[in-house]
Structures are given as structure tokens and as C-alpha cells.
Amino acid sequence: MTQTNSRRRGPTRHGLSARTLRELERATGRLASASVAAMEERLPWFGRMPADQRASVLLITQAGAAGFVDWLRDSKEALTLTTEAFRGAPQELSRWISLRQTVSLVRLAIEVFEEHLPEFAADEAERAALVEGILRYGREVAFAAANSYAAAAETRGAWDARLEALVVDGIVRGDAEEAVLSRATALGWDPAAAATVLVGNPPSDDPPKVVFEVRSRAARVGRPVLLSVQGSRLVVVVAGPTDAEGGHQKVLNGMAVAFGEGAVVAGPTVPSLAEAHLSAAEALSGLRAVVGWPAAPRPVRATDLLPERALAGDAEAERLLVEEVARPLEEAGPALLETVQTYLDTGGVLETCARTLFVHPNTVRYRLRKAAELTGRQAADPRDALVLRIALIVGRLARARGLW
């Protein structure tokens, strides 16, 4: 009686009888279990997953099998619900397995279904319809999984961008180290890696374009970076050494290309991300003062802008000039300090300086070499001469104020 009624209803739009669909519906659990068993047998990584995760895969596979029957009935509402269900399922799976692994699971489940479906067909026509149906349905599931992973990736990307902006903002403002380090670690940054902060103008008003440009340059130099666009200012934190002596200057040169027109200032390289706020403070100070040196290289180190920073009122620059230049010269003795000051006052003319000091020119040469060893500044170089002159002035002012 049931068989007669089923045949009277006629086949569905997929050419399947109601009886075939009912039998297929009753077998969905068995087909799902067979699929999971095949996964455990053929995919080594699947067998290593925890039991609860494998159970979740079984539930999702059962839902997929039931959705396949609804899809075969050609109900538009069932098709919509099935598609939405599969779009949501990979969101849970994405925490455990990659998109490539998910595609492997879907492919294997489709293969198992394709092997078992012919036994439910009443004739050759239904067999062909079932095989065609599972292939089309598998394609829909694969597309739904890909869309789900893409949406999850976009969500993670947007969250990572916000988290990255918080890290860079924390570095610039000198926030508590623990908060910055924990967020940076969540982004995959090695907190123990050396860090250098670069600041300048963004190359575009479009933030995604800026991010793409910076990431591209970072990939070329092979360094991880953190970046944030803060209004009209672009801040980039570069991991690893950047000293010229170690041949790493090309890293800064490469990253400078990612900035827009104008000066690019690099703070000092600090041992770890915990000290990155010191690099940021000096880089920002240099960016404010670099206008005083029109011929500054690009990028320019903040330590090369000490005279301009000191004139702009940067107390840290004044301290560095005293500690690195003025104090070593004074502690070396009055003769050395007097020689440097006289050489600068005579316009860098060696013979005039020697006559003024009543010494031989070779004595002046010797003392200038000694001063260069102590300070790293060559008095004969115009730029270094400016640094020496400003450092001596700052040193005298600091001593007058009782700061030294």
C-alpha cells in the first residue's frame, strides 16, 4: 500500500521517488558514521584530534546528510536552511582545523556517499540522479565552507588590525608594558626581539592601501612589523637589528619606501618590545625637529638629530649631548676641550687653530683624533662640527643651571 502511494506521487524534480528519499533519510546516520570512519582511516591528523572534536565532525556530517535529503526534495526553504547551516558549521571547525583540512573532510565524505548511494536507487536513472546530486551538493557545501573561512579570516583580520593599532598606540603613549606585550604576543610578535620605531607621513589617505604597502615592504626585507596610521602620521615598529655596522641599514632603507613624501625618522633600536616606547619617543621628537635639517637623509636616525632636538627643547636630546659629547671632552682634560672649541671658533682651519693655541699643527691633529675617539664626532666634518658646537653650548648651560 505504501509503495503504491509512493509511486502515485511520482518522482521529485531530481527524478527520485518518495520511497527512495525516505530510505535515504533513514540511512543518513549510517552514512555519516561511515564517512567519519573513513576519515579516521585515511586522514592521520583526524585520528589525533580529541574525541569531542571528532564527535562534532560527526554531528556536522549527520546534519549534512540530512540536508542532502532535504536538498533532493528540492524545497527552496530547506536548501536555504542547509546552506546557512553549513556556512555556520566551519566557524566552529576553524578553531581546530584549517580550510585545507576541511576541504579534505568534505571531499572524503562525498566519496563515501558516492560509494553508498547507488544501493538506494530503484533503477539506473535514480542511480545517476543520486550521483549527480551528491556531486552538486558537495560543491555547494565546499563553497559554503570556503565562504565561512573567508568571513572568519576577515573578522580575525579586522580584530587583528584593531589589536595591532592598540599595541602601537600603547607604545607611542608609553603604556604599561604588560598590556602591550600581551597584545603583541597575541599577534604573533616575539616580545624578546629587538625593535625600532619609524615615523613619517602615510603614503595614502586610504588605510588598507597603507597597510598593504607597509606589509609588502616588510615582506621584502623579511622582517615582522607592527603599524598604525594615527591621523597624518604613520608609525611602524620593525623587529630585529637595524644597525648600519651589522649591514642592517638596508632594512630601514627598504621600510622608508613605504612612507609618503617627507622625512622618515627612526628611533634607536632597543633590545625588546618592552623598551619600544623609548624608541618611539625619540623618533617622534626627531620628526618634530627634522625640519631644522633640510638636507637630512631619508630615513634619518633620531640620534643624528640631537642638535635640532635640543634646540626644539627636547630634554632627552640635551642629556644625550652632555653624556655623549660634552662630558667626555671635559673629563679628557682642558687641553683637549680647548682644542676642539678653538678649532670650531677658527672655522676649522688647522693652522689658525695651532697658532692660536701656540702648538704644532700635528698636536692639533692628534687632539682632534682623540676627541673623535671619545665622542664619535669628527670636528672636520661640517655636520659633526655642528653637533660638537651645540653639545658644548648645552653642556655649559647645564652646568650653569646646576644640572651637571
Side-chain angles (χ1 to χ4, degrees), residues 150-211:
E154 291 177 357
T155 301
R156 285 194 298 269
W159 171 249
D160 287 350
R162 290 192 293 269
L163 189 61
E164 184 175 3
L166 286 174
V167 171
V168 176
D169 184 60
I171 291 173
V172 170
R173 292 190 289 113
D175 284 351
E177 294 178 3
E178 289 302 324
V180 172
L181 293 180
S182 62
R183 291 168 179 168
T185 302
L187 292 170
W189 183 277
D190 180 9
T196 306
V197 176
L198 287 84
V199 294
N201 298 319
S204 171
D205 294 331
D206 183 17
K209 185 176 181 181
V210 174
V211 172

Side-chain angles (χ1 to χ4, degrees), residues 230-248:
Q230 301 177 341
S232 60
R233 182 176 66 194
L234 172 61
V235 182
V236 178
V237 184
V238 182
T242 59
D243 55 295
E245 291 77 8
H248 302 295

Side-chain angles (χ1 to χ4, degrees), residues 76-150:
K76 294 183 179 180
E77 181 178 0
L79 178 59
T80 302
L81 292 175
T82 300
T83 303
E84 293 299 326
F86 269 86
R87 285 176 180 170
Q91 293 178 2
E92 182 181 3
L93 286 178
S94 63
R95 296 198 299 265
W96 312 325
I97 58 179
S98 66
L99 174 59
R100 179 176 298 180
Q101 291 172 324
T102 300
V103 172
S104 297
L105 294 179
V106 173
R107 179 184 293 113
L108 191 51
I110 297 303
E111 290 178 359
V112 171
F113 272 59
E114 190 176 357
E115 292 174 2
H116 288 82
L117 284 179
E119 66 186 67
F120 299 98
D123 51 34
E124 193 67 30
E126 285 195 347
R127 183 179 296 107
L130 285 173
V131 173
E132 179 185 359
I134 192 60
L135 293 178
R136 293 178 56 191
Y137 183 73
R139 181 186 62 187
E140 296 295 331
V141 171
F143 280 132
N147 287 335
S148 176
Y149 272 84

